[in-house]
Amino acid sequence: LERAEHVIEVALQAEELETAREPMPVDISPILLLRILDFGSRSSDARTQQCWAGILASSCLAGTPDDATGRFVLMLSKLDRDHIGILTAACTRAMTSGWQEGFVFSSALYCNLHEISTITGIRNPVAIERNLNHLHQLGLLEKTIRPLGCAELDEVNITPTSFGLQLYARCCGDSEMPQALERPALELAS
């Protein structure tokens, strides 16, 4: 019964995302639809359900290939609430920072342990590092370089990869991420 409620919640959130756009025909294979709803039904966390709703909404766009969507579905199925929290924070910071052609960010995308602990709700630095490594191994975040010896991490690299930003865009209901978000250069007053 609980999983059925989760399916309904995911479907309603996806419908909200779809109605916010221009009306367009729905184009999703039934197998892919069932797979998304099955994975979405397993999550009880609101943020994770929103991601499944976003994947569903972006998958319904005409011209979205099922094999590409399948990659994002598989990737999202490997993430839990903490991973999604870190990825969301990383991509939000990246979108705010902006990037140049060639995926060069305008500023460093690092945060200290207190910030990442606040984002995830995890107080254990080892658990934080484990989550960051998992996201790196999946190809969603750049690697955080560990200090030499037994020193604790002072700051962590939360720079998303291109694939991480694409997954984030899908989780927000968009089928594509922007090619570049060049920040306008500041003009000096004369």
Side-chain angles (χ1 to χ4, degrees):
L1 185 59
E2 187 176 321
R3 284 186 67 185
E5 290 174 5
H6 295 166
V7 166
I8 292 168
E9 186 61 36
V10 167
L12 288 173
Q13 288 180 26
E15 183 181 37
E16 276 183 31
L17 287 170
E18 280 297 307
T19 57
R21 293 193 187 108
E22 295 288 324
M24 44 179 38
V26 173
D27 186 23
I28 185 170
S29 75
I31 294 171
L32 187 57
L33 173 65
L34 288 174
R35 197 165 167 207
I36 292 169
L37 291 175
D38 180 46
F39 281 125
S41 73
R42 297 175 192 199
S43 63
S44 58
D45 176 58
R47 182 183 290 171
T48 306
Q49 286 179 351
Q50 288 173 342
C51 288
W52 284 111
I55 291 275
L56 178 57
S58 67
S59 301
C60 291
L61 298 173
T64 305
D66 285 350
D67 58 335
T69 300
R71 277 184 46 213
F72 293 113
V73 169
L74 180 63
M75 189 59 59
L76 184 57
S77 72
K78 295 179 180 184
L79 304 181
D80 65 19
R81 178 182 57 93
D82 296 333
H83 300 129
I84 291 170
I86 294 170
L87 183 64
T88 299
C91 292
T92 302
R93 191 169 283 185
M95 299 293 273
T96 303
S97 169
W99 60 86
Q100 305 295 323
E101 200 62 40
F103 213 58
V104 177
F105 287 96
S106 302
S107 62
L109 299 174
Y110 288 87
C111 63
N112 62 37
L113 277 179
H114 177 70
E115 287 177 293
I116 199 75
S117 181
T118 302
I119 291 167
T120 61
I122 301 172
R123 303 291 175 241
N124 182 346
V126 174
I128 291 171
E129 188 174 6
R130 188 173 37 245
N131 286 322
L132 290 168
N133 285 337
H134 182 72
L135 290 167
H136 169 69
Q137 289 169 353
L138 293 175
L140 300 172
L141 287 184
E142 296 295 327
K143 183 157 183 69
T144 295
I145 305 300
R146 183 126 175 78
L148 295 175
C150 296
E152 283 190 22
L153 292 173
D154 290 329
E155 61 181 11
V156 295
N157 184 359
I158 60 168
T159 306
T161 62
S162 174
F163 184 61
L165 278 167
Q166 290 171 17
L167 176 62
Y168 176 73
R170 288 295 187 103
C171 289
C172 291
D174 298 322
S175 62
E176 296 179 9
M177 72 170 200
Q179 291 301 321
L181 291 177
E182 294 188 36
R183 305 273 298 187
L186 295 175
E187 294 183 21
L188 298 175
S190 46

